[in-house]
Amino acid sequence: MKAAFSSLQYQHPSQRVMRKSMKTLIATLIAGLFATSAFAQTATTPAASPKAEAKAAKADAKAEEKVTKANAEAKEETAKADAKAEKKAAKEAKKADKKVAHAKKEAVEEKAEAAKK
């Protein structure tokens, strides 16, 4: 009889039950791992309380105010720098005009002296 059952191993019924329950346990554990990994990947955002929202809005308003103030200061500084540059350019143009006028005056005087000779 052993020869007839040599390809098939004899298992006691309790072993068959244990093997089946182990397979279901392993399958359940693997399914649980997949479920936890999928759950961990979902984005969760906690519900914000009205106080937290008010604080966030207040902080945003303060930040916006600071940015606006900085922009205004930058514009003011730029305007001052532009005015200063325009004033300097006007002053230099006035000096150049004086030099040109002085050179013309000298040229007229030289011509007058040359005409006298």
Side-chain angles (χ1 to χ4, degrees), residues 27-84:
T28 306
L29 289 174
I30 291 172
L33 287 174
F34 280 114
T36 55
S37 66
F39 179 76
Q41 291 178 359
T42 59
T44 58
T45 54
S49 66
K51 283 186 178 182
E53 288 179 9
K55 274 188 176 183
K58 190 174 182 181
D60 288 344
K62 279 186 177 183
E64 188 66 32
E65 184 180 333
K66 284 182 181 181
V67 168
T68 305
K69 188 175 181 181
N71 286 341
E73 287 176 359
K75 284 181 183 179
E76 186 178 314
E77 288 175 6
T78 305
K80 283 182 181 179
D82 289 345
K84 191 174 182 179

Side-chain angles (χ1 to χ4, degrees), residues 88-98:
K88 186 175 180 179
K91 193 174 186 179
E92 289 176 1
K94 192 174 182 181
K95 277 186 179 181
D97 288 345
K98 272 188 174 181

